Amino acid sequence: MDKILDFNELFFGDLEEYKKLIIGLLESLKVVSATTLWSITEDTPKGLSTIVTMDIMEIILDSMERISENLYTNKLIAHEFPIFVETKEMIEILLTDPIFDSDEYLNFAITLFSDFFTLLEVKLLLFDGCNLEIEAPQHVLDEYDKELDKYFIKFDEHKDYFIKLHE
């Protein structure tokens, strides 16, 4: 599919808009029936709602793949790449799990996505004008370390919750 939502417009473009778009797409999956979700995994003729649902999921997952490429190649935010990979994998599993028809899975995917992009927004604001972290003043590095510490506490809680969901 060539419809990938990409935020790399002269670096990131409007990251807030991208975040809202993906969250909106994830929210839209809440109206999908269990029958439609079941149809996705079965070798049966697909109705229009199934096809649209599959396309939405594909847009989200393809977009996240593009984000991985951007994070990996950008020197300022390359350190966040491993965090995103874990986040991306959890969201992929949540979206492709055959029993994801619960709002709990979608709400959790939204939380994972939103929390990561909030961290990314904070970093981009703090390091505005820097190409590398080492170019930033010490107070900026200290502030980001505090934000990162808070994020990791939440991220560890998210990982524990994810494991609990799949036990």
Side-chain angles (χ1 to χ4, degrees):
M1 175 176 229
D2 59 358
K3 296 179 262 180
I4 295 176
L5 302 175
D6 189 3
F7 56 82
N8 195 12
E9 176 185 308
L10 294 177
F11 191 45
F12 280 111
D14 191 342
L15 191 58
E16 181 63 26
E17 180 180 53
Y18 173 77
K19 186 169 119 178
K20 286 178 184 176
L21 283 169
I22 295 299
I23 289 172
L25 288 173
L26 288 166
E27 288 280 351
S28 74
L29 294 174
K30 289 181 179 182
V31 300
V32 176
S33 71
T35 305
T36 298
L37 294 172
W38 172 82
S39 175
I40 290 172
T41 60
E42 298 301 311
D43 188 23
T44 60
K46 309 293 185 226
L48 187 56
S49 61
T50 303
I51 292 167
V52 169
T53 300
M54 291 168 55
D55 284 350
I56 290 170
M57 293 169 123
E58 191 174 341
I59 288 170
I60 293 167
L61 297 176
D62 285 353
S63 175
M64 293 181 77
E65 191 59 39
R66 178 68 62 91
I67 294 166
S68 288
E69 294 166 10
N70 286 324
L71 291 177
Y72 184 74
T73 60
N74 187 290
K75 292 177 184 171
L76 178 62
I77 53 176
H79 292 104
E80 286 72 16
F81 177 72
I83 302 167
F84 181 73
V85 168
E86 274 191 85
T87 300
K88 176 179 159 290
E89 288 174 357
M90 286 190 282
I91 291 172
E92 285 174 353
I93 290 169
L94 289 168
L95 289 181
T96 57
D97 193 313
I99 57 165
F100 103 88
D101 61 337
S102 122
D103 282 354
E104 183 177 19
Y105 276 47
L106 288 170
N107 288 335
F108 187 45
I110 290 167
T111 298
L112 288 168
F113 186 86
S114 181
D115 285 356
F116 177 79
F117 276 89
T118 299
L119 175 70
L120 199 54
E121 288 170 319
V122 166
K123 183 162 191 180
L124 293 175
L125 286 171
L126 286 172
F127 289 83
D128 188 34
C130 299
N131 292 318
L132 298 168
E133 286 183 9
I134 59 172
E135 295 174 358
Q138 188 59 47
H139 72 278
V140 169
L141 294 170
D142 294 342
E143 184 64 31
Y144 185 65
D145 281 345
K146 288 179 200 172
E147 292 296 324
L148 202 53
D149 288 343
K150 288 190 278 187
Y151 177 81
F152 277 126
I153 289 168
K154 284 194 329 189
F155 191 63
D156 286 343
E157 291 170 0
H158 292 330
K159 289 192 290 189
D160 291 342
Y161 182 69
F162 180 81
I163 291 167
K164 183 180 159 200
L165 272 178
H166 286 88
E167 286 181 337

